Amino acid sequence: MAHDATPPSALPPRPSSPADAPSSPAPPTSRPTPPPRFPVARGAQAAGERLLQALLRRGPLRSRYVTTSYGRVHCYDSAPDSHTSPALLVHGLGGSSLSLLPVAARLVSRRRVLLVDMLHFSDLSEPLYDALTSSQHVRALLEVIAKCSPGPVDYVGHSVGGGAGIHLATRHGEYLRSLSLINPGGFRTGLDRVMDDVFGIDAVRAAEVLE
């Protein structure tokens, strides 16, 4: 995955409605992407597919697409017409939303759940570009949040999804109400900045605390 050498430009204040969601400048190179088949990730484990089919049949999850500046992002939404803020579940490297279905299955009876398929990580989402930087992946997630949620979300991220969550929390914290991380990694997080933000002290002291 490519990385930005410079931090992403600051986003405008959070939009008051999905229609006012920010548009991010798009990279210069584009390619056509064929429409996906029925949204079950190719190569996913049979158990995950069976759980997905059960959740789709029973009604808690609905497949939907969210248009962003970087492509159409596929999501499973337990209440797409709701005006409540969801728990946003973001998968890890080489995976898809299927990997977090067991978590979603335990939450859907109590609250709205939104599972995201990150661009380039499965056959479900439709990227506009051959590659995205880490900051562009994060901005795509910001656009999903702005268009799908009336307020800050409870973010749950695994692996790369957790790394993206750290970016969101430290740079665009107004989009998150809470952050839960499962083995986060895969994105440059700017360790000194993260430690400063988390501990509220200088990086040298933070490193001593971590040790």
Side-chain angles (χ1 to χ4, degrees):
M1 182 186 306
H3 295 281
D4 275 348
T6 58
S9 58
L11 286 175
R14 181 181 175 84
S16 58
S17 67
D20 299 325
S23 294
S24 303
T29 316
S30 64
R31 64 176 174 85
T33 303
R37 297 180 298 173
F38 180 75
V40 175
R42 195 183 308 162
Q45 293 183 353
E49 292 187 0
R50 287 196 299 270
L51 177 57
L52 173 62
Q53 296 299 337
L55 289 171
L56 289 172
R57 282 195 305 270
R58 283 163 36 199
L61 294 182
R62 291 287 180 266
S63 176
R64 63 179 294 188
Y65 283 86
V66 180
T67 301
T68 73
S69 300
Y70 305 99
R72 293 209 312 157
V73 177
H74 176 261
C75 306
Y76 290 111
D77 194 338
S78 66
D81 299 322
S82 171
H83 296 291
T84 60
S85 297
L88 179 68
L89 279 55
V90 185
H91 62 82
L93 182 66
S96 72
S97 56
L98 287 179
S99 63
L100 292 174
L101 277 178
V103 178
R106 291 181 173 272
L107 292 175
V108 290
S109 63
R110 291 176 285 174
R111 62 168 308 167
R112 181 185 176 197
V113 176
L114 184 68
L115 296 102
V116 172
D117 282 297
M118 294 179 69
L119 295 164
H120 291 296
F121 284 83
S122 73
D123 292 333
L124 307 183
S125 293
E126 303 174 6
L128 289 175
Y129 310 101
D130 291 323
L132 296 178
T133 66
S134 58
S135 292
Q136 288 163 350
H137 277 291
V138 169
R139 292 183 71 89
L141 287 173
L142 285 172
E143 291 186 35
V144 170
I145 294 172
K147 291 187 175 184
C148 295
S149 178
V153 301
D154 294 305
Y155 187 104
V156 179
H158 171 238
S159 183
V160 164
I166 293 174
H167 273 263
L168 290 174
T170 58
R171 298 172 185 177
H172 307 289
E174 69 274 15
Y175 282 73
L176 304 187
R177 183 169 66 177
S178 67
L179 175 65
S180 300
L181 303 175
I182 308 169
N183 296 329
F187 277 70
R188 288 182 180 174
T189 57
L191 183 58
D192 289 344
R193 176 171 181 168
V194 171
M195 290 191 296
D196 286 345
D197 290 341
V198 171
F199 290 96
I201 52 181
D202 65 86
V204 174
R205 174 61 183 142
E208 294 173 356
V209 174
L210 288 178
E211 291 176 357

